[in-house]
Amino acid sequence: MVKQTDSATAAQAASGGTPLDVVVVGAGFAGLYMLHRLRQVGLRACAFERGDDVGGVWYWNRYPGARCDVESMQYSYSFSDELQQQWRWGERFAGQPELLDYARHVAERFDLRRDIRFGTAVKAAHYNQASALWEVCTDRGERLRARFCIMATGCLSASRMPDIEGIADYQGKHYHTGRWPHEGVDFSGQRVGVIGTGSSGIQAIPMLAQQAQQLLVFQRTANFSVPARNAPMDDAYERSWKDHYPALRERARVDTTSGTIYEKSARKAVEAPAHERQREFERRWEKGGVNFMHAFNDLMVDARSNETAADFVRAQIRAIVRDPAVAELLAPKDHPIGTKRICVDSDYFETYNRDNVRLIDLRTEPIERITATGLQTGRSHYPLDAIVFATGYDAMTGALLGIDIRGRSGARLSEHWAGGPRSYLGLMAAGFPNLFTITGPGSPSVLSNMIFAIEQHVEWITDCMVWMRDKGHDSIEAEVAAQDDWVAHVNQVADATLFNQANSWYLGANVPGKARVFMPYTGGVVAYRQKCDAVADSAYQGFRFERVPAKPAGAANTQDVDL
Ligand code: NAP
């Protein structure tokens, strides 16, 4: 456990002193940068983090094989040139330990820990209309008041165990990829079952197969995956980035769809001759990474084009996997490629050629229950010493709605969002003044490079708060009409893509009962940034501002809020 340094600010605030300017919830990459920027502009802030250290998703996801699918040179902060020049990445795609080291380095370098309370989860945040303050309560019984509450809670931080009967009866060990034990797990000599073949499962399976005596993979839906071709960082490649970082970061801002620079194509797949298409897919497959999905510019909007890429990947799977029946089960056929987050792997399909790995198709033999000793499907009982749940997250809204958030007149965010998340620009929800969400639903968020998206939101929010301070405003709130227009626009641009054709977590489809709404903004980071900047330049059109009336001398500036 990292030693906690209580700051004077946090201690004073927690003891009921002067309200803070800002409470930040979460100390992952979003929370860290938010704290840094707030300090730079002279706002008093503290952050609460439920983990015992910084890093967010890279603190929790310690499963073997956990690795970022955006290249290290781009999945990194751009706000400090010294940081980006001095930090040295060890691999083309950084693994979880290196990413956690990076987050720790940033926390040390900018002296952020003194304003973070670790091992502390925020349970409730209620808005007090009279004082225009948020009243925040933690699981350690602390209460504090702050003008702004900023949710840096992450999009993939509420991990989900599936609703499978009998988990409590199981006498072996079980693990969720998103809550991996810090001390690691030794599966040597064990019969291990993995449930789930999304990005996490696909990364973990090759590593688990190297250790376990026998690995059974329980697959419900086959997923598209492209090889990472990960390698130690090439010095010349690193230098080529560092020599041109300012220009390249700017290019990411103005000339990409996701904030990550890929090799863009000006061609449509349907218009390219078949042999050229094949050559281009092959070239990108050999280079590795998500760059594959940029081979042509219409893969996500034209079903016929998409099918050419999907066919190519299916052919690769059939070429890699020796058993044709297994290859057929691994070849995805029920959704267009890319409509579920494309996976990036190291030797995933090759792993099925190992003698100790077996694929169980849950479409032909669904899971009936977990027993004391293993897993019962409609066909067999599989004895297992350990089960790994790679079953994903209540994405984008799960962590937010896990907190009892109440806005104006006590309205609950969970009720406000019962039919799916509604926000203006993914930054604020009407009825919840002074509550910002970093990379919230309605922004490009998970469809983009997350650190890139975080930086844009943090900078926009900071500028907005400074503007409010200069103008003497106490509260900012999204207007309902602006929110309605934005939500309609988010849906409209999503409908113009193929994304709605998959039962993905983007749509909430993986959580029973969750409203089926496409949550991230598909319009691209350039259009999104332009919209955010235009709103700011027009004195924050679509938001309204208020000033708290001065109280008569002696009158308290708060009212009781039931926390
Ligand atoms: P996921 O993509 O939601 O995959 C969950 C898997 O569990 C799916 O295969 C799902 O099958 C299966 N599953 C869920 N409930 C089940 C049940 N009751 N029975 C059988 N199977 C069940 O979750 P994830 O793999 O953790 O990935 C989530 C996201 O995290 C990714 O899409 C990515 O954005 C991010 N991530 C990124 C990286 C990276 O940077 N490389 C690595 C890991 C994760 P169905 O498809 O049939 O529902």
Side-chain angles (χ1 to χ4, degrees):
M1 170 149 170
V2 172
K3 191 172 173 299
Q4 182 168 312
T5 339
D6 284 359
S7 72
T9 314
Q12 176 202 13
S15 66
T18 319
L20 285 173
D21 293 316
V22 187
V23 163
V24 178
V25 185
F29 282 121
L32 288 178
Y33 184 39
M34 193 72 243
L35 261 186
H36 177 60
R37 284 293 295 141
L38 292 169
R39 272 205 207 143
Q40 282 183 318
V41 298
L43 290 167
R44 293 177 321 125
C46 83
F48 290 109
E49 166 54 55
R50 76 191 149 106
D52 288 334
D53 200 356
V54 297
V57 75
W58 302 110
Y59 170 87
W60 297 103
N61 277 263
R62 298 172 189 237
Y63 61 85
R67 184 174 298 290
C68 188
D69 57 12
V70 176
E71 286 194 5
S72 315
M73 297 312 295
Q74 303 202 59
Y75 189 82
S76 48
Y77 289 117
S78 70
F79 70 83
S80 160
D81 196 47
E82 281 188 348
L83 170 66
Q84 67 184 2
Q85 292 296 340
Q86 286 170 11
W87 180 263
R88 296 212 59 187
W89 292 104
E91 292 178 273
R92 177 181 178 195
F93 294 101
Q96 175 272 333
E98 194 178 13
L99 284 156
L100 185 55
D101 280 352
Y102 177 67
R104 287 175 171 152
H105 170 79
V106 169
E108 300 296 335
R109 185 177 188 117
F110 298 101
D111 188 23
L112 299 173
R113 284 188 199 282
R114 66 185 158 91
D115 284 327
I116 305 171
R117 298 218 147 192
F118 292 104
T120 308
V122 167
K123 303 304 285 177
H126 295 180
Y127 185 65
N128 183 320
Q129 232 163 287
S131 59
L133 292 172
W134 280 91
E135 311 201 349
V136 171
C137 164
T138 75
D139 62 350
R140 291 191 168 194
E142 289 155 304
R143 288 155 175 262
L144 60 84
R145 292 174 300 142
R147 177 69 67 209
F148 296 96
C149 185
I150 301 183
M151 294 296 172
T153 40
C155 293
L156 295 161
S157 45
S159 57
R160 265 204 90 244
M161 288 290 280
D163 308 320
I164 300 174
E165 216 185 303
I167 295 177
D169 305 334
Y170 182 56
Q171 284 170 5
K173 297 264 192 202
H174 66 82
Y175 310 92
H176 190 286
T177 47
R179 289 279 176 285
W180 203 258
H182 288 198
E183 62 281 10
V185 186
D186 183 1
F187 291 105
S188 305
Q190 295 190 15
R191 295 162 304 179
V192 180
V194 179
I195 302 176
T197 50
S199 297
S200 305
I202 280 177
Q203 288 187 332
I205 285 163
M207 304 298 288
L208 298 174
Q210 288 173 28
Q211 240 188 33
Q213 182 196 75
Q214 193 194 18
L215 185 72
L216 300 184
V217 178
F218 295 90
Q219 172 186 277
R220 188 164 64 185
T221 310
N223 246 313
F224 288 102
S225 187
V226 295
R229 313 275 182 224
N230 185 39
M233 179 61 71
D234 178 78
D235 286 347
Y237 186 66
E238 180 188 7
R239 183 66 14 241
S240 72
W241 272 88
K242 290 192 171 177
D243 283 350
H244 303 100
Y245 247 144
L248 291 167
R249 298 292 199 182
E250 181 58 14
R251 195 172 135 205
R253 280 188 274 272
V254 301
D255 192 25
T256 65
T257 49
S258 66
T260 306
I261 299 173
Y262 293 110
E263 272 179 272
K264 282 208 303 191
S265 167
R267 299 182 81 185
K268 291 184 167 41
V270 274
E271 290 172 0
H275 68 279
E276 284 182 27
R277 213 166 40 217
Q278 177 72 13
R279 206 168 51 220
E280 185 58 6
F281 284 143
E282 272 168 9
R283 189 180 71 77
R284 290 186 185 241
W285 180 269
E286 286 315 315
K287 260 184 123 172
V290 176
N291 198 38
F292 178 82
M293 288 305 293
H294 297 265
F296 297 95
N297 65 6
D298 58 346
L299 296 183
M300 292 310 297
V301 291
D302 186 321
R304 292 164 308 157
S305 296
N306 186 285
E307 193 60 10
T308 64
D311 274 343
F312 176 87
V313 174
R314 284 189 286 259
Q316 298 302 311
I317 297 169
R318 291 180 187 116
I320 295 169
V321 180
R322 284 198 287 271
D323 182 331
V326 175
E328 223 37 58
L329 289 175
L330 288 168
K333 297 174 195 88
D334 72 340
H335 61 281
I337 185 169
T339 53
K340 283 187 168 192
R341 163 81 164 225
I342 186 105
C343 304
V344 178
D345 72 90
S346 296
D347 295 334
Y348 175 63
F349 295 113
E350 289 82 349
T351 297
Y352 291 92
N353 293 332
R354 293 176 66 108
D355 292 338
N356 68 334
V357 176
R358 187 170 158 201
L359 182 67
I360 317 290
D361 174 28
L362 298 178
R363 300 277 173 190
T364 52
E365 46 175 316
I367 296 175
E368 286 186 348
R369 56 174 294 123
I370 296 198
T371 66
T373 55
L375 192 149
Q376 177 71 52
T377 69
R379 187 175 287 170
S380 301
H381 182 261
Y382 297 95
L384 296 169
D385 301 310
I387 302 178
V388 173
F389 291 94
T391 45
Y393 298 86
D394 183 354
M396 300 202 79
T397 55
L400 281 170
L401 299 183
I403 300 170
D404 173 16
I405 299 175
R406 300 192 203 175
R408 203 175 270 291
S409 311
R412 291 168 196 263
L413 188 66
S414 55
E415 285 171 14
H416 187 66
W417 283 7
R422 298 184 71 76
S423 77
Y424 182 34
L425 301 174
L427 280 161
M428 293 196 103
F432 298 81
N434 291 0
L435 179 83
F436 289 105
T437 50
I438 300 180
T439 65
S443 70
S445 180
V446 289
L447 294 179
S448 59
N449 174 340
M450 286 306 281
I451 298 192
F452 173 94
I454 283 165
E455 287 193 325
Q456 188 234 339
H457 268 188
V458 165
E459 286 160 17
W460 191 95
I461 292 167
T462 310
D463 290 349
C464 176
M465 289 192 294
V466 168
W467 185 86
M468 286 174 67
R469 182 174 62 188
D470 293 347
K471 298 277 178 198
H473 296 307
D474 293 313
S475 75
I476 172 174
E477 182 178 355
E479 287 174 350
V480 174
Q483 175 174 280
D484 288 349
D485 287 350
W486 183 250
V487 170
H489 174 62
V490 170
N491 288 327
Q492 189 191 11
V493 290
D495 288 344
T497 70
L498 302 174
F499 277 110
N500 282 324
Q501 294 187 21
N503 287 320
S504 67
W505 58 258
Y506 294 139
L507 269 164
N510 63 327
V511 179
K514 189 165 174 175
R516 198 182 165 100
V517 169
F518 197 83
M519 295 183 283
Y521 176 60
T522 57
V525 297
V526 174
Y528 178 74
R529 181 183 293 268
Q530 284 168 351
K531 170 72 181 173
C532 291
D533 289 350
V535 166
D537 290 346
S538 63
Y540 296 93
Q541 201 174 24
F543 292 98
R544 69 163 188 267
F545 297 88
E546 281 178 10
R547 189 172 299 199
V548 178
K551 291 277 180 285
N557 201 27
T558 59
Q559 64 184 30
D560 281 343
V561 168
D562 181 22
L563 274 173

